């Protein structure tokens, strides 16, 4: 695999999760006992990406601190002989080479990705949204990297959503790729950011995993602010879609059928915590016993 860089935008305002996100990035909210961002970095590393660039915003410090060593805490745990917790503290420091770049103002996801231009250079790279969790048991990024290496251009992840939810997402029009056996790998023929339900070309929503051709940077530099006054990655992808393959154009979609949680959305966040806690060997048995009793007595 030649792709080895991951870019993780984590500079959004997180307004859907206020006031928790007033001084803490939403990517630092704990999902059970790990911040969301750590799951995302672990996913990147598991897919073979060892160079991680976090795009941070105004509350950068907690994010940076999480991937740094904490000598006084480590010394205290060491002195107590608490090797289990010491290993947990060191896990995030030892995961990958984590770099940081600042997005001065949250001018949109496209603008956040553009901040990675210098670090990434002229090679394809992955983008993982820092608030979007993909269950580690369900493969997504690795097949996307393989598809980019095979077909070139850029690759985006798609999820079927109920029609009434499509206006919260970027939406894709698709067609089958001739000669492929895999019906879930499709050609993107249209992209629109947060369309009204009656104008959506499909119920396929763009979710937070991308493998992008470096041509995206020049396109982003020439992409005007779109919906919400923000520089939209979806708009840049729509331009790439129509560009010739020799110039890095073409966009392929991968339809994901696994478990995904948007931890920037309060309801989805709660579902993520419950499902991940229920599956944990250390917490799951006790938690599920309590949960079953709670659900039996709850009014719906
Ligand atoms: P969202 O649209 O979910 O982020 O962006 P948001 O604007 O923070 O959320 P709400 O709607 O106000 O709650 C998706 C991802 O892109 C990043 C976010 O941090 C998130 O990981 N992002 C978004 C940036 O890094 N910079 C931006 O300017 C916008």
């Amino acid at each position: 695999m030649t792709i080895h860089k991951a870019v993780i935008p984590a500079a959004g305002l997180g307004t859907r999760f206020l006031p928790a996100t007033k001084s803490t990035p939403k990517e630092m909210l704990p999902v059970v006992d790990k911040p969301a961002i750590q799951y995302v970095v672990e996913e990147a590393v598991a897919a073979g990406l060892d160079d991680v660039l976090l795009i941070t915003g105004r509350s950068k410090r907690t994010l940076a601190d999480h991937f740094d060593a904490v000598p006084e805490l480590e010394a205290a745990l060491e002195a107590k002989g608490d090797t289990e917790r010491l290993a947990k503290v060191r896990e995030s420091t030892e995961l990958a080479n984590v770099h940081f770049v600042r997005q001065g103002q949250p001018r949109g996801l496209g603008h956040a990705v553009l901040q990675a231009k210098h670090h990434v250079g002229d090679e394809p790279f992955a983008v993982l949204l820092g608030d979007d969790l993909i269950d580690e048991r369900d493969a997504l990024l690795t097949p996307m990297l393989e598809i980019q290496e095979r077909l070139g251009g850029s690759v985006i992840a798609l999820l079927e959503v109920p029609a009434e939810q499509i206006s919260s997402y970027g939406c894709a029009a698709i067609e089958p790729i001739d000669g492929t056996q895999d019906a879930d790998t499709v050609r993107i023929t249209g992209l629109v950011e947060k369309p009204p339900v009656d104008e959506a070309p499909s119920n396929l929503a763009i979710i937070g995993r991308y493998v992008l051709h470096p041509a995206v940077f020049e396109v982003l530099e020439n992409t005007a602010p779109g919906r919400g006054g923000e520089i939209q990655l979806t708009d840049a992808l729509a331009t790439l879609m129509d560009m010739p393959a020799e110039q890095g154009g073409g966009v392929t979609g991968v339809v994901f059928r696994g478990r995904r949680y948007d931890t920037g959305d309060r309801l989805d966040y709660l579902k993520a915590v419950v499902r991940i806690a229920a599956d944990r060997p250390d917490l799951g048995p006790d938690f599920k016993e309590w949960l079953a009793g709670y659900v039996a007595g709850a009014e719906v």
Side-chain angles (χ1 to χ4, degrees), residues 35 112 122 157:
D122 194 25

Side-chain angles (χ1 to χ4, degrees), residues 11-30 58-59 62 131 263-266 269:
L13 290 177
T15 54
R16 286 169 297 161
F17 228 118
L18 284 167
T21 46
K22 191 175 166 189
S23 61
T24 305
K26 63 179 163 181
E27 291 80 5
M28 282 303 293
L29 295 175
R58 70 208 152 89
S59 5
T62 50
D131 59 349
T263 63
D265 173 81
R266 291 169 304 168
Y269 171 84

Side-chain angles (χ1 to χ4, degrees), residues 219-300:
V219 172
L220 281 167
E221 281 166 341
N222 294 298
T223 299
R227 218 193 137 80
E230 296 190 338
I231 297 174
Q232 299 288 356
L233 183 58
T234 306
D235 293 345
L237 286 161
T239 304
L240 281 172
M241 186 184 79
D242 291 330
M243 279 168 45
E246 314 81 73
Q247 291 173 23
V251 181
T252 305
V254 173
V255 182
F256 178 59
R257 304 202 179 271
R259 289 155 284 193
R260 171 257 176 189
Y261 314 98
D262 172 5
T263 63
D265 173 81
R266 291 169 304 168
L267 188 59
D268 233 26
Y269 171 84
L270 292 170
K271 292 178 191 170
V273 171
V274 170
R275 282 181 84 161
I276 292 173
D279 289 342
R280 283 260 300 250
D282 54 344
L283 294 165
D286 287 349
F287 179 57
K288 279 191 283 194
E289 194 183 328
W290 173 83
L291 191 61
Y294 176 76
V295 169
E299 278 181 38
V300 178

